[in-house]
Amino acid sequence: PEDTEMGNDQLAKFLIVQQMFAEEEVTAALASVKESNKNMKRNMLPDSLLLRLCDGDEKRCEKVLSALIDRTKFAYIPLEYYDIDRQVVRMLPDELTVGRLFVPFDLVSRTIMVAVCTPFDAAARDTVQQSLDYSVPWYLARPAAVIYTFQVIYKLEGRVQ
């Protein structure tokens, strides 16, 4: 994801317009996340703008997730409580899952369900749709839950502060 934007610019604009964070705070966090992702080592997960901004503040994270759900109409999935099928997670290439923080978490009939923590990464969502012969409903999940899922499944180092 060195050259990947991951929808962070659109997420930053959304957070500023919704007045959820100060513009200076978002701009600084965005620059930090981009730099961190650019310098990422192979066995590490990308940094999440939302995780960096909320910095462990669960109430603030819930408020942002609620606003994102209202805006995007994605359903919410409490990924931390879901029994994830490891085979399903590996159905997509790593650059689309680990590299974009997308978690395919279940397969039902011809539908593969995918959780994201940044819903504005439209290019990657289109790539997922085109690479699978399945229907793909999108879900919003906590960034910490997405990162934890990858840490467990792929044995990767996260960036959780």
Side-chain angles (χ1 to χ4, degrees), residues 53-121:
L53 284 169
C54 290
D55 195 27
D57 186 345
E58 291 299 315
K59 287 187 181 191
R60 200 170 202 187
C61 188
E62 284 181 25
K63 184 178 175 185
V64 172
L65 287 172
S66 179
L68 285 169
I69 289 166
D70 288 346
R71 167 72 162 77
T72 63
K73 305 299 183 215
F74 281 25
Y76 174 75
I77 182 73
L79 208 53
E80 56 271 27
Y81 302 114
Y82 204 90
D83 186 22
I84 296 170
D85 184 342
R86 291 173 185 256
Q87 257 73 36
V88 173
V89 174
R90 296 180 183 263
M91 287 179 72
L92 286 169
D94 291 351
E95 59 271 6
L96 284 176
T97 57
V98 177
R100 300 292 192 135
L101 297 177
F102 284 12
V103 180
F105 62 92
D106 205 354
L107 178 65
V108 178
S109 186
R110 301 293 306 156
T111 301
I112 186 167
M113 293 166 256
V114 181
V116 300
C117 53
T118 304
F120 298 112
D121 194 352

Side-chain angles (χ1 to χ4, degrees), residues 28-68:
L30 181 61
S32 177
V33 164
K34 284 183 176 183
E35 184 65 26
S36 175
N37 288 345
K38 190 173 104 179
N39 297 322
M40 178 173 76
K41 292 184 175 69
R42 186 153 179 83
N43 66 335
M44 295 187 85
L45 290 163
D47 209 347
S48 164
L49 177 62
L50 187 54
L51 189 63
R52 173 130 346 177
L53 284 169
C54 290
D55 195 27
D57 186 345
E58 291 299 315
K59 287 187 181 191
R60 200 170 202 187
C61 188
E62 284 181 25
K63 184 178 175 185
V64 172
L65 287 172
S66 179
L68 285 169

